[in-house]
Amino acid sequence: MGTSVSPDPNLSAAATSGMAAMAASKRKLKVATWNIAAINNNPFEYWITYDENPEYEKIMTAIEGFLENPGDKDVPVSSVFTEEMYGELEKRMTEVGWDNVKSYWDGDFKNRKIVTEFMKDPLLGSKRLASMPDRITNTINVVGSDEPVCRPTVINMYDGDLSTLPGWWSAWEKFMFDTPLQVEDKGEIKNDPPYKMLQPIKKAKYPDITEEEEKVSLPLQTMCGAIFDAILVHMMNTVSEPAVWQDLKRTMVENLNKQKVPHTLDILENVYGD
């Protein structure tokens, strides 16, 4: 520690000699870097070139407008994730033994505007109340299958129908509470529904979360995760016809996600193979 390390003089001399010989022979060294390790399965995360379908740019531009200048589309959360939906979620969370978070719903979240006060709330982000449940349940690798299981949401490879909020909610509730999934955890095989995979959010790691929120972080993050997904479904069905954006998503998922490895190898072989 604290001492300098000199390169091996023989290795340095050999490298210098090799580069000099390459230069003298007029050979060229081609170098490329490419980050292909991203594990995210959200087909809408990056703005891509998609000349084959002009609807793609229209939808992406409309999403940008919805989020940057929502105007009268910035409606209360309760008009998207409804009182009825919350009541059904509360019943589910009570049945699994979680604390009641109705005070957070009534006193705060249901009255928030969906864009400016929820999606763009930096404190909600630093508390991880929406991103934590998404990270854990977005795409779940299950034992004995090459295909992962995806939460019903816009931002993964989920292939079910998201054309209506009631339809989305029915699928989301069933996924979270009624769908045991066989997963491997530290060498142990478990067969649990996704709600059991959620982890408490600790103030020691995420200091912006309050002590009271930490105590109810499991039901609170579940509620926020449901609101988050509901807003995404609502947004997509607002900026585009469901049949249009869902068909587009399926095509993108097939090419960007499911065929990622074959396409990557094809590019390396046929574009950079020389």
Side-chain angles (χ1 to χ4, degrees):
M1 296 295 290
T3 60
S4 61
V5 179
S6 300
D8 184 318
N10 294 326
L11 182 62
S12 179
T16 302
S17 175
M19 292 300 293
M22 181 180 291
S25 67
K26 307 298 183 180
R27 290 174 60 193
K28 294 181 179 181
L29 180 64
K30 293 183 178 181
V31 179
T33 62
W34 184 13
N35 177 17
I36 59 174
I39 60 173
N40 193 298
N41 287 319
N42 176 8
F44 293 105
E45 181 170 4
Y46 308 107
W47 193 308
I48 65 173
T49 300
Y50 196 171
D51 295 333
E52 296 83 356
N53 190 338
E55 289 297 327
Y56 173 76
E57 187 164 349
K58 293 179 183 178
I59 291 172
M60 295 298 285
T61 301
I63 291 172
E64 183 178 46
F66 188 99
L67 294 172
E68 293 301 315
N69 300 289
D72 60 4
K73 295 182 178 66
D74 202 10
V75 297
V77 163
S78 60
S79 68
V80 175
F81 188 73
T82 64
E83 288 281 2
E84 182 180 1
M85 291 175 183
Y86 174 77
E88 292 170 353
L89 177 61
E90 182 183 89
K91 180 181 178 182
R92 288 286 200 157
M93 296 192 297
T94 299
E95 289 173 349
V96 302
W98 285 350
D99 290 327
N100 188 289
V101 291
K102 186 172 175 56
S103 61
Y104 290 93
W105 169 253
D106 286 334
D108 183 3
F109 285 97
K110 77 174 186 180
N111 299 313
R112 291 191 182 203
K113 298 296 181 63
I114 59 172
V115 176
T116 55
E117 297 174 351
F118 189 91
M119 299 298 277
K120 288 189 170 184
D121 178 15
L123 198 57
L124 191 68
S126 61
K127 291 179 179 183
R128 301 298 304 276
L129 287 172
S131 59
M132 183 67 79
D134 176 59
R135 181 176 69 84
I136 293 173
T137 67
N138 182 290
T139 303
I140 302 174
N141 294 316
V142 294
V143 175
S145 175
D146 293 332
E147 290 285 331
V149 177
C150 295
R151 189 180 77 248
T153 188
V154 172
I155 55 172
N156 60 17
M157 298 188 294
Y158 180 72
D159 194 38
D161 181 27
L162 298 177
S163 62
T164 68
L165 280 168
W168 158 79
W169 171 240
S170 177
W172 195 97
E173 183 184 11
K174 181 178 180 180
F175 167 84
M176 287 296 291
F177 295 97
D178 296 332
T179 308
L181 300 174
Q182 204 170 56
V183 299
E184 184 175 350
D185 181 22
K186 299 177 181 177
E188 179 184 356
I189 303 298
K190 296 183 177 180
N191 194 42
D192 291 327
Y195 82 87
K196 284 192 175 183
M197 302 176 191
L198 298 176
Q199 301 295 320
I201 300 175
K202 300 294 186 180
K203 185 173 178 61
K205 187 171 183 179
Y206 303 103
D208 283 335
I209 199 164
T210 67
E211 293 180 358
E212 293 73 20
E213 290 168 339
E214 180 184 28
K215 293 175 183 177
V216 295
S217 62
L218 287 174
L220 191 57
Q221 68 178 283
T222 302
M223 179 187 73
C224 289
I227 294 171
F228 175 73
D229 282 340
I231 293 172
L232 291 176
V233 172
H234 167 76
M235 176 182 71
M236 295 304 295
N237 289 329
T238 299
V239 303
S240 174
E241 290 296 322
V244 174
W245 77 261
Q246 290 192 110
D247 183 63
L248 185 66
K249 178 190 172 184
R250 291 187 187 99
T251 302
M252 293 167 63
V253 163
E254 181 64 27
N255 287 280
L256 296 177
N257 303 109
K258 293 184 177 181
Q259 296 298 317
K260 178 180 177 180
V261 172
H263 285 170
T264 300
L265 294 176
D266 180 66
I267 291 170
L268 288 173
E269 180 178 359
N270 296 307
V271 178
Y272 299 106
D274 62 343

